[in-house]
Amino acid sequence: MSELSWLASLLKSRNTIDSKIATLIGGPAQVGNVAEYIAVTIFRIQPDKDGKRRGYDGRFTYGSLAGQTVDVQWRPRRDGQLNVKIDAVPDYYLVFTGPELLPTVGNPWLIDAVYLFHAHQLLNALRERGVHISSGTSVTGPLWERAEIYPVAKNLQLLLSEEERQLLALFK
């Protein structure tokens, strides 16, 4: 019975933490909502409530990407999968990923890397390979590598400031 009591205590703690996260971000404490909050804060994305219906979360507000739509995703495990849309295509996908190999059981919410995919170029590359496009689209390693903006800047469309890099490092 002590294991059940311990589980009940852990769930109460989790509920308390989830409630605090929900209050902070202004929505349910789900990985996608937390990713959007982080992206809005670090990358100065302007959220767009109507954008949800159109397949994106908001728009970039500065630099060469200003005004471009972006769909934010967080893959707790870097598994090569991406939620790619064909009916409502954003301009970009901004994707946070955790490690390839997880240190524990489950999916801890860690950010090991960040990727920026130009959506139409990604769709073209996937179609050329004959990939089935869905919520679990398999994206090859070279496409991920070219899209990386953190920790190594391989995609130069969005260069991160030192402050942005330090903020992302908080989630390692």
Side-chain angles (χ1 to χ4, degrees):
M1 195 66 158
S2 66
E3 288 180 1
L4 198 53
S5 296
W6 178 239
L7 177 61
S9 175
L10 291 172
L11 289 174
K12 286 177 187 175
S13 295
R14 179 184 175 150
N15 292 338
T16 299
I17 290 169
D18 282 354
S19 176
K20 290 178 180 182
I21 291 171
T23 299
L24 176 68
I25 67 171
Q30 298 168 337
V31 72
N33 295 338
V34 174
E36 289 170 28
Y37 181 85
I38 293 168
V40 162
T41 305
I42 295 176
F43 297 98
R44 298 185 299 268
I45 292 169
Q46 178 64 47
D48 185 340
K49 299 299 178 198
D50 291 333
K52 288 285 189 199
R53 291 192 308 271
R54 297 183 190 128
Y56 62 88
D57 298 307
R59 294 179 183 275
F60 288 102
T61 61
Y62 73 100
S64 63
L65 299 180
Q68 299 291 301
T69 59
V70 60
D71 178 50
V72 179
Q73 299 182 28
W74 190 351
R75 307 292 299 186
R77 186 169 68 86
R78 189 173 16 193
D79 58 3
Q81 302 291 308
L82 191 59
N83 181 10
V84 179
K85 301 169 178 101
I86 55 172
D87 56 341
V89 181
D91 295 316
Y92 289 91
Y93 290 103
L94 180 67
V95 185
F96 303 137
T97 66
E100 280 184 85
L101 301 173
L102 296 174
T104 61
V105 175
N107 286 327
W109 293 7
L110 303 171
I111 298 175
D112 275 6
V114 181
Y115 302 87
L116 181 70
F117 293 93
H118 184 279
H120 293 287
Q121 291 174 2
L122 176 64
L123 278 170
N124 288 339
L126 295 171
R127 286 177 177 140
E128 284 175 7
R129 287 187 30 243
V131 173
H132 175 72
I133 299 171
S134 67
S135 61
T137 301
S138 179
V139 177
T140 62
L143 293 173
W144 284 96
E145 188 174 320
R146 286 195 300 266
E148 186 176 347
I149 61 171
Y150 172 85
V152 179
K154 294 179 183 171
N155 178 347
L156 304 180
Q157 287 184 292
L158 183 60
L159 296 174
L160 304 182
S161 68
E162 187 54 35
E163 179 185 14
E164 291 166 332
R165 298 176 71 68
Q166 289 173 1
L167 290 170
L168 287 167
L170 294 172
F171 298 94
K172 272 199 170 267

